[in-house]
Amino acid sequence: MPRRKKAGNQARMGEENAAPQADINQKIKKFEYDLVQTSLFPEYGDGEASVSEAVKKEKEKKKKAEKLAAAEGMLDEILGDDKKGWVNVYRLLKAVQDYQLYTATDCSSFSAWLRKYAKRCHVSTQTLWRYQKCGRYFEELEKAAKKKGKQLDIDPAKLSSSGMALIARLARNDPQKGARLAKDLVDGRLPQSQLSQMWRAQRAEMESRGEKAVMANGYEAKQFASSFSEPADKEDKIKAADIVRALQDATWLPGRVAPKDRPPYVRDQYLCLTEFPVRAQTTTRHLDALIVENCTVESEDANFRLWLHGIEIKVSEGDLKGDKKMEEYAEFVDRMWIAISDDSPELWTAAEERIRENPGWGLLMIGHDGTINVIIPADGEAMKATDDRAGVFRETTLMTVIHKLHLT
């Protein structure tokens, strides 16, 4: 009898916990629907010339502020009552980023807003980023299933973020395997402890056979490396020149202003200058790449302002760890990035450690197909907040740009 009573209590507790969960799901669904409706049907049509651009922008900013406050309120509710509700956290973070709700604040980027919010609600920034990465991976599984005409019959809310991360490692670039593992985990056929054991065993086996795990699209993938294929492996490795070629295209820039939102007289400018010289103290040194652009500048300032991005390219862990001068380059730019290849998990780990030492720096990962993945967005404000000399010589950099382009 006592056991039956305990089971009854647990059932009632489950029902009580399910009710708030269903309530927050409904809130988020309505929130997402309202965002879509607002983007499809703005308050002012193109023909209403009587309404000034300033009034439109002010009303748009006010609406974004209201939506952001609603998103933060729901995040507070989820993180306060259920820290395992990573799916709903991801949905809200995705909405804030995709609809640029953070622009209603004094934050110039999504990452700046994320850090500010995390600090306010006493949540680890890394935790929020992990939730977002897990959400993106689950969406990749859904897209892969859809391409095959199937539906991914899995409730992500029944998966933990740590379980999703393990699945991503085990499945690597095989979304079908990832879907099977996720289904088995949800249905109880595969405990998470066994997932951890599977990953440890798989990793040990790979190392014993001369294989190595490399990162691809934010998760680990397999690449063979043996004495028989060493020449081809060296040939296949991403070189600095490959990364430079990938940087010639502006599409990787986070926070780009859409051309349709630009006045007709504004032209997007994007220039990648390699081996760019800067005068550090009494020595001339060279940035691997300097990006000069107005693609992320607000429309009203796009003809009058340029952002400067310094990029240091690293294709090996030794090259990164041996570079002791990199931090000096922050004095000459608005934002700093480390660009790496996806050939080595050790390089990724070393790059993340270097960025932790330099808050506000960004991390780019370049794939063999030239795709650039923004792993950690750069944040100029955060960089300046922790480095008093960040950006102090940006005007000197601009003058050097003009001189190199022979515009004087």
Side-chain angles (χ1 to χ4, degrees):
M1 292 300 292
R3 287 184 180 179
R4 186 172 297 173
K5 183 177 180 181
K6 183 177 180 181
N9 288 340
Q10 288 177 337
R12 282 193 295 273
M13 287 175 64
E15 292 173 0
E16 291 172 359
N17 290 334
Q21 184 67 22
D23 184 50
I24 194 67
N25 281 334
Q26 289 300 318
K27 285 182 182 180
I28 296 176
K29 282 183 180 179
K30 184 178 184 306
F31 176 75
E32 292 170 331
Y33 175 80
D34 290 344
L35 282 173
V36 172
Q37 291 298 106
T38 301
S39 65
L40 291 176
F41 306 104
E43 183 176 347
Y44 301 108
D46 294 336
E48 299 187 42
S50 59
V51 180
S52 68
E53 287 295 325
V55 172
K56 288 182 182 179
K57 287 181 179 180
E58 185 60 32
K59 285 186 173 289
E60 182 183 353
K61 186 174 182 180
K62 184 178 179 182
K63 283 188 175 182
K64 283 187 175 181
E66 292 172 354
K67 294 296 183 185
L68 182 62
E72 289 183 347
M74 287 184 282
L75 283 170
D76 290 345
E77 185 176 344
I78 298 167
L79 294 168
D81 293 339
D82 179 18
K83 290 192 176 182
K84 293 185 178 179
W86 67 268
V87 178
N88 284 332
V89 172
Y90 167 67
R91 291 166 65 187
L92 291 167
L93 293 179
K94 185 174 187 294
V96 172
Q97 186 173 31
D98 290 354
Y99 291 92
Q100 297 186 345
L101 302 183
Y102 59 85
T103 58
T105 69
D106 57 352
C107 298
S108 61
S109 66
F110 172 73
S111 58
W113 169 81
L114 190 73
R115 277 192 291 272
K116 186 175 181 180
Y117 173 76
K119 184 177 181 180
R120 179 178 68 78
C121 65
H122 306 291
V123 176
S124 168
T125 308
Q126 286 78 10
T127 298
L128 297 179
W129 279 119
R130 185 175 71 250
Y131 288 173
Q132 191 180 50
K133 288 180 180 179
C134 287
R136 286 176 179 170
Y137 178 71
F138 189 83
E139 287 183 347
E140 288 179 12
L141 297 184
E142 288 182 316
K143 289 177 183 177
K146 190 174 181 181
K147 282 184 180 179
K148 293 185 173 293
K150 300 178 181 179
Q151 187 173 358
L152 193 64
D153 187 22
I154 299 172
D155 182 4
K158 294 181 180 179
L159 290 164
S160 67
S161 61
S162 56
M164 180 62 74
L166 283 168
I167 290 169
R169 292 188 179 98
L170 286 162
R172 298 168 179 169
N173 56 348
D174 185 350
Q176 291 183 348
K177 180 180 179 181
R180 288 196 301 271
L181 290 174
K183 182 68 173 173
D184 288 345
L185 186 60
V186 168
D187 292 345
R189 293 189 295 270
L190 180 65
Q192 187 165 318
S193 59
Q194 188 174 341
L195 269 181
S196 300
Q197 292 173 2
M198 289 168 62
W199 169 240
R200 286 195 293 269
Q202 183 170 305
R203 192 171 186 174
E205 183 181 356
M206 289 165 59
E207 291 174 354
S208 67
R209 293 193 307 196
E211 301 173 9
K212 66 177 182 178
V214 301
M215 301 294 183
N217 297 324
Y219 297 96
E220 292 180 352
K222 185 170 69 173
Q223 180 183 22
F224 290 92
S226 68
S227 57
F228 299 100
S229 59
E230 188 172 352
D233 182 61
K234 286 183 177 178
E235 185 67 28
D236 290 341
K237 283 185 178 296
I238 296 175
K239 302 178 179 65
D242 299 322
I243 296 178
V244 169
R245 277 193 293 271
L247 291 170
Q248 302 301 316
D249 190 339
T251 55
W252 68 271
L253 279 170
R256 292 179 66 211
V257 179
K260 65 181 180 63
D261 297 328
R262 296 281 204 200
Y265 55 83
V266 172
R267 291 181 55 192
D268 280 355
Q269 305 291 341
Y270 181 90
L271 181 65
C272 178
L273 300 170
T274 58
E275 289 298 311
F276 188 85
V278 294
R279 190 75 169 173
Q281 296 179 359
T282 60
T283 305
T284 299
R285 290 179 175 160
H286 293 81
L287 264 168
D288 290 335
L290 175 74
I291 303 295
V292 184
E293 56 89 10
N294 71 347
C295 305
T296 60
V297 178
E298 293 297 327
S299 293
E300 59 270 19
D301 294 330
N303 273 351
F304 308 98
R305 179 184 291 273
L306 293 168
W307 289 123
L308 306 177
H309 302 253
I311 301 181
E312 277 295 280
I313 298 171
K314 302 299 174 188
V315 293
S316 72
E317 182 186 10
D319 182 21
L320 176 59
K321 289 186 174 180
D323 191 338
K324 306 300 183 183
K325 64 182 185 300
M326 191 189 305
E327 281 72 13
E328 296 180 10
Y329 293 139
E331 300 177 7
F332 300 89
V333 296
D334 301 305
R335 298 178 179 90
M336 273 298 299
W337 302 82
I338 298 176
I340 63 174
S341 66
D342 65 357
D343 286 321
S344 167
E346 293 80 14
L347 176 57
W348 188 353
T349 300
E352 287 185 325
E353 289 176 357
R354 193 67 172 264
I355 287 171
R356 278 194 290 271
E357 297 170 2
N358 296 278
W361 285 36
L363 177 60
L364 304 175
M365 181 175 288
I366 290 77
H368 284 76
D369 60 353
T371 302
I372 299 179
N373 294 305
V374 180
I375 305 301
I376 302 174
D379 186 341
E381 290 183 359
M383 184 174 74
K384 291 177 181 177
T386 56
D387 184 354
D388 293 338
R389 296 190 60 77
V392 294
F393 295 131
R394 74 175 306 276
E395 303 304 323
T396 303
T397 306
L398 277 173
M399 293 302 296
T400 307
V401 170
I402 294 172
H403 178 72
K404 286 181 73 68
L405 294 177
H406 307 288
L407 295 181
T408 55

